[in-house]
Every structure is written in structure tokens, then in C-alpha cells.
Amino acid sequence: MPTDAQPHPLRVLVFGAALRADSSNARLASLVARLISDTGATVDHATMHDFDMPLYDGDVEAREGLPEGALSLRDRIEQADAFVISSPEYNASVPGLLKNAIDWVSRVRPQPFKTKHALLVSASPSLVGGNRGLWALRVPLEHLGTRVYPDMFSLANSYQAFADDGTLTDAGLQQRLSETVTGFLSLVEADVRYVCLARRWYEFPGDRTEASVTQRAEG
């Protein structure tokens, strides 16, 4: 049925997965948030301090339920059309702080990661830019049904990578980041705006949205 109602702007949650206020990943998250905002989308810019929670403990969950930090992260994921994580790389893998948050939130029923779109970026003083950590981060998110964007962005030599205005000193990298963000938002918009594309995310030929393999983390 035709309608004159205008669609709401895309809503994107952006947060850096490090606690240190001046971390490279906090700066990269801020830059991504600015790029997203420039497109007209609504940005919910958060930090891990907004989602404080203890180490996951099944006994604590049984006795006290989910902590407020986990419920807050759940709420903000649910309110967003997509989310972006800027994650450091700890020992070639995902930071324990972030993995712990994912583990707690995955206990919510229904869990909120299913069918949400995610863009993963990283910054590191190393030459690989935290890329190994992003590959590790894809595993739990994709297991939970998150539609992780194929392109990831990793910023190497991050201590020298930012200009005073928060942009990247390397114009080529700045353009690549902008293009990655734009491509991600285009995919999110297509999924949100066009009903015919809803729940059509196939990992291999013959995959179906009602197949058990795509339902494994929904309950």
C-alpha cells in the first residue's frame, strides 16, 4: 500500500572495544561514527564503560540474572539496525573484555545478535593492524547469526595514523575507510528498506533461512 511516511534514518551503534579513553580503537570508532553521521544516519556512539559487567559465571546468572551492563548492550543492539565494533587485537585474538560481553548478551532470549549487520574495524601499532583479532571476532558473532560485513578495515601503525582533526593522515586509507563504511551502510539500507530482501543471507548454495543451520543460535 502506498504511503507518504518517510523511512527513519538508519540507526547504527558504534563502539570501541578497549577501556583506555585515548586508545587507537576509541579514536577509530569516533572517526567511523563521524563518517556514518555524515551520511544522515543516526549514530549511537558508546564505549565499553557503558557496558560494565563481571566475568561470565553461570552460578551468578542463575542467582542474579543478567547484569545491567549486558542488558544495556542488548537494548542498544536491539534499537539499532546495525553495529560497528572497533576492536584491538590481544595476543592475535579477540580481547577478553569483548568476548565476555558477547557471551553475557548471548544468554538473552531471544538473543539480539541474530540477523543484525556488523562492520568490524581495528587499529594497532603493529604492521597487521589488528586484523588477526577481527578474524577471531567473526567466529562468535557469525555463530550467533550476525551478518558480518565481508570487508574489514585494519589500521596499522596506529600511533602515527591520526591527524589532529581525527581523520587519517594517509589519504588513501581515509578513502578506503570511507568506501568501506559507505558500502556497509548501503547493504544495511537495502536489508532494512526492501522487504523482499529480509532474511536472505546465504552462506553457501542451497542454504535456506528456515534451515536448521541458520536457526542454530536464534533460540
Side-chain angles (χ1 to χ4, degrees):
M1 177 181 296
T3 177
D4 294 330
Q6 295 297 314
H8 68 75
L10 291 179
R11 297 173 295 231
V12 184
L13 170 64
V14 180
F15 64 94
L19 290 175
R20 189 167 61 88
D22 194 39
S23 76
S24 298
N25 282 280
R27 301 181 73 180
L28 184 57
S30 294
L31 176 55
V32 171
R34 187 198 312 180
L35 292 171
I36 294 173
S37 181
D38 287 345
T39 70
T42 299
V43 177
D44 178 10
H45 191 183
T47 73
M48 289 304 293
H49 288 287
D50 297 324
F51 312 123
D52 186 40
M53 60 192 84
L55 293 175
Y56 178 75
D57 185 329
D59 291 335
V60 171
E61 181 188 9
R63 185 173 62 249
E64 304 175 12
L66 274 71
E68 287 302 316
L71 294 175
S72 176
L73 179 55
R74 182 274 313 271
D75 290 344
R76 290 166 82 166
I77 291 173
E78 286 185 340
Q79 292 162 9
D81 296 309
F83 61 92
V84 180
I85 303 176
S86 182
S87 177
E89 175 186 289
Y90 290 174
N91 298 313
S93 190
V94 59
L97 177 73
L98 178 57
K99 181 59 166 60
N100 183 60
I102 293 171
D103 290 343
W104 267 116
V105 175
S106 73
R107 300 295 294 170
V108 178
R109 293 295 180 269
Q111 62 90 1
F113 293 105
K114 179 69 174 176
T115 74
K116 290 291 182 180
H117 289 275
L119 172 64
L120 305 183
V121 300
S122 63
S124 170
S126 74
L127 294 178
V128 294
N131 186 259
R132 295 168 300 187
L134 295 187
W135 283 108
L137 179 55
R138 294 186 73 101
V139 175
L141 290 176
E142 290 181 334
H143 170 75
L144 292 169
T146 304
R147 300 169 175 181
V148 182
Y149 191 60
D151 290 343
M152 302 184 292
F153 180 87
S154 295
L155 181 64
N157 297 314
S158 60
Y159 290 167
Q160 294 82 38
F162 291 94
D164 292 340
D165 65 355
T167 61
L168 302 181
T169 55
D170 186 311
L173 286 177
Q174 178 71 29
Q175 180 177 352
R176 178 170 172 262
L177 177 60
S178 297
E179 291 173 349
T180 300
V181 169
T182 300
F184 171 65
L185 293 179
S186 294
L187 178 62
V188 175
E189 183 171 27
D191 188 56
V192 170
R193 304 280 188 250
Y194 303 107
V195 185
C196 63
L197 296 181
R199 298 178 61 79
R200 295 296 186 267
W201 184 268
Y202 302 134
E203 298 295 336
F204 52 86
D207 189 9
R208 307 183 310 280
T209 53
E210 70 273 15
S212 58
V213 68
T214 62
Q215 298 281 330
R216 64 188 181 280
E218 190 161 12

